[in-house]
Amino acid sequence: MSKTMPLRTSWFTDARFGMFIHFGLYSMAARHEWMKKYELISDEDYQVYFDLFDPDLFAPAEWAKAARSAGMKYAVFTAKHHEGFCLWDSAFTDYKVTNTPAGKDLLREVLDAFRAEGLRVGIYYSLIDWHHPDFTIDTLHPLCDAPNREELNRNRDMAKYRQYMKDQITELLTGYGKIDILWTDFSYPKFSRGGKGHLDWDSEGLLALIRRLQPELLINDRLDLPPGNADIDTSVEQFLPENPVVDDSGKLLAWEACHTFSGSWGYHREERTWKSVKMCIDLLVQHVAYGGNMILNVGPTSRGKLDRRAKERLSGMGQWMELNSRAIYGCTRAPKKFVPPADCRYTYNPETRRLYLCLLNWPYLYIHLPGLGGGKVKYTQLLADGSEIKRRESAEEQNGSTPPGALTLDLPTLLPEEGCEVPVIEIIFEDSFLSTFEDE
Ligand code: GLC
């Protein structure tokens, strides 16, 4: 991949799997990070969370360990979400963690903890701010229905808010060491009754500032700037795309899909729609097969812990990753000539030129791989335990004759117990075949 991608993004596209962390005052309400807006809560009523914010079990080292053992290679932490509360000791607001009972800069602790585990670090910074007095009340604001909205807006000055963002981003990019990703969120220029876009944020100015302060940093695409300005496409959120994410010329972008385990990004006590470990692995495989990254979110409790539901899924993914990460790290979509059979995905490592058949459903006894017959394949093995998978190009043993041009793999009825939620078969080509095609 590093052969075709610009160098700055290659660590990111090699990593493929990251952790998103949503943590803020909304973690106390435990019913969605948007609840201030959903329930139209006033600043006065929201103040109780600020007054009592006290994550006494705050343990970013545990989060970082859980991320690393899940196989994640980077983490993005919400320094400020839409509620406007800042988890660092900002000089530009009083609405910050050091003024709560928590009493310390939590962002710094998170960044230190993840770096100590060898992960890259990203900062999520909300462009939206429901607390700043100069942020004008728009469709998405908790005061959107206030009868005196127009009048309130007359006293609000977005120019001051723009400066506030520049000051804060400068703080974040000068006071916290090397930041690998800046995850801005989000623009909505087309909303009726008042949206916000690049002119409201001065995205051009912000981008220039960011590039100047940390030229290596990767920035996402939520600043409402023309294509080509961002390093990471984040248009896929909480769904599985049907195709790789490409630019107008068809070139694969460095893209990342963000997902929750259940639906809410902030800790949600009562959500009952948690994805299974198997479903999370399916998603990861399918994103990589389309040449993308997946960043999976955790919402720690207001006391600062990951709950059991999150821990179970992270450790389940980690067990699978321990045995199968070779099909994930450094991998991307396979060259177009390789068309996977039904219910399967291919991932491909352009450095080693090995192909990975990921089976979302385990078939009975055999599977045909179109186009891979005719002496192209040297060896096939189940990645989880490195056990050979036998190959043939005929009707031997009467299990389904191989269609013309295909390679048939004979499959065991029972799989090993570990690493087979999504079984992966590694396909190693003959050198003579590798010399006949270019990747892509
Ligand atoms: C949406 C939501 C936000 C969440 C984000 C993650 O933009 O507004 O709550 O942080 O998705 O991508």
Side-chain angles (χ1 to χ4, degrees):
M1 215 169 325
S2 43
K3 277 185 243 152
T4 52
M5 292 282 187
L7 209 57
R8 238 156 33 85
T9 52
S10 55
W11 75 262
F12 177 79
T13 50
D14 282 349
R16 289 303 181 213
F17 189 26
M19 175 182 268
F20 222 155
I21 308 165
H22 277 65
F23 191 57
L25 300 181
Y26 48 78
S27 309
M28 296 171 72
R31 53 181 194 270
H32 206 284
E33 76 286 352
W34 272 69
M35 56 83 189
K36 186 175 185 192
K37 150 75 178 153
Y38 290 164
E39 300 171 24
L40 306 179
I41 301 175
S42 65
D43 279 349
E44 294 70 42
D45 288 343
Y46 207 76
Q47 184 62 24
V48 68
Y49 304 117
F50 181 90
D51 293 342
L52 298 176
F53 185 68
D54 185 15
D56 59 330
L57 302 177
F58 187 69
E62 276 175 27
W63 311 349
K65 274 200 185 63
R68 189 180 52 76
S69 17
M72 293 159 159
K73 294 282 196 190
Y74 62 100
V76 177
F77 180 68
T78 50
K80 178 186 90 156
H81 203 264
H82 308 337
E83 64 182 2
F85 176 64
C86 298
L87 283 138
W88 78 100
D89 190 16
S90 174
F92 300 96
T93 182
D94 292 333
Y95 202 53
K96 59 178 175 181
V97 65
T98 41
N99 289 341
T100 68
K104 54 186 180 177
D105 186 324
L106 299 189
L107 171 66
R108 193 173 299 284
E109 295 197 6
V110 169
L111 298 177
D112 287 349
F114 279 83
R115 287 179 182 132
E117 288 291 335
L119 277 81
R120 299 262 190 165
V121 291
I123 290 180
Y124 170 109
Y125 184 84
S126 175
L127 304 167
I128 300 172
D129 195 312
W130 297 330
H131 183 268
H132 196 283
D134 284 303
F135 187 93
T136 51
I137 300 162
D138 58 23
T139 325
L140 298 184
H141 196 280
L143 292 176
C144 59
D145 288 343
N148 59 342
R149 173 177 154 164
E150 293 308 317
E151 188 193 322
L152 291 173
N153 272 344
R154 243 173 273 134
N155 299 320
R156 290 175 177 239
D157 181 0
M158 280 297 285
K160 288 194 189 144
Y161 180 66
R162 282 190 283 279
Q163 189 55 47
Y164 176 71
M165 288 201 290
K166 286 190 184 125
D167 290 338
Q168 288 206 318
I169 285 179
T170 303
E171 255 180 347
L172 292 170
L173 298 188
T174 54
Y176 291 85
K178 182 171 181 290
I179 302 300
D180 298 295
I181 298 175
L182 184 68
W183 223 99
T184 59
D185 196 31
F186 62 78
S187 302
Y188 42 110
K190 300 210 173 78
F191 281 29
S192 59
R193 293 182 69 231
K196 286 187 174 65
H198 68 108
L199 296 175
D200 301 283
W201 319 129
D202 181 21
S203 296
E204 289 79 357
L206 277 178
L207 184 68
L209 175 73
I210 293 160
R211 295 283 189 225
R212 181 166 61 74
L213 295 176
Q214 296 226 12
E216 291 299 304
L217 171 151
L218 304 182
I219 175 121
N220 73 345
D221 62 346
R222 296 198 174 186
L223 282 167
D224 181 37
L225 289 169
N229 281 293
D231 302 305
I232 305 173
D233 182 294
T234 64
S235 53
V236 179
E237 175 169 333
Q238 303 259 44
F239 69 93
L240 186 63
E242 286 170 17
N243 289 296
V245 180
V246 294
D247 67 12
D248 287 346
S249 67
K251 191 172 153 281
L252 187 66
L253 289 168
W255 66 274
E256 172 192 75
C258 51
H259 288 273
T260 58
F261 283 121
S262 184
S264 174
W265 299 87
Y267 173 68
H268 196 306
R269 185 181 55 209
E270 278 147 44
E271 240 172 10
R272 293 286 178 268
T273 50
W274 279 61
K275 298 172 185 69
S276 64
V277 169
K278 153 85 171 140
M279 193 176 279
C280 294
I281 298 170
D282 273 12
L283 283 173
L284 177 61
V285 162
Q286 296 188 69
H287 287 89
V288 177
Y290 283 155
N293 283 27
M294 179 166 95
I295 183 167
L296 195 52
N297 181 72
V298 296
T301 69
S302 72
R303 299 192 66 189
K305 300 280 281 183
L306 298 180
D307 75 354
R308 205 179 71 183
R309 299 171 295 187
K311 280 197 264 192
E312 278 173 6
R313 276 144 187 99
L314 291 173
S315 87
M317 292 192 83
Q319 284 164 32
W320 184 88
M321 280 293 280
E322 186 189 0
L323 300 174
N324 293 288
S325 62
R326 219 194 286 171
I328 300 294
Y329 300 143
C331 288
T332 187
R333 65 173 168 177
K336 292 196 185 77
K337 64 191 291 172
F338 301 124
V339 179
D343 288 345
C344 296
R345 299 290 182 277
Y346 279 139
T347 66
Y348 179 73
N349 186 318
E351 297 294 329
T352 63
R353 304 192 77 194
R354 292 186 178 186
L355 184 67
Y356 296 93
L357 172 69
C358 308
L359 299 103
L360 305 181
N361 276 312
W362 190 243
Y364 182 54
L365 292 182
Y366 62 90
I367 190 164
H368 305 306
L369 307 181
L372 293 190
K376 300 185 176 90
V377 172
K378 180 186 202 160
Y379 193 69
T380 40
Q381 59 180 343
L382 186 68
L383 190 52
D385 65 351
S387 60
E388 181 171 14
I389 297 286
K390 290 182 80 182
R391 305 157 293 286
R392 64 186 163 85
E393 299 189 30
S394 63
E396 286 160 38
E397 296 166 20
Q398 296 171 356
N399 285 334
S401 313
T402 308
L407 178 74
T408 300
L409 302 181
D410 283 315
L411 304 176
T413 308
L414 276 184
L415 282 163
E417 282 179 17
E418 290 163 301
C420 290
E421 289 87 348
V422 176
V424 177
I425 295 172
E426 186 173 43
I427 299 172
I428 301 169
F429 294 115
E430 292 287 2
D431 289 345
S432 55
F433 175 57
L434 287 175
S435 62
T436 66
F437 71 93
E438 296 280 322
D439 294 349
E440 263 296 316

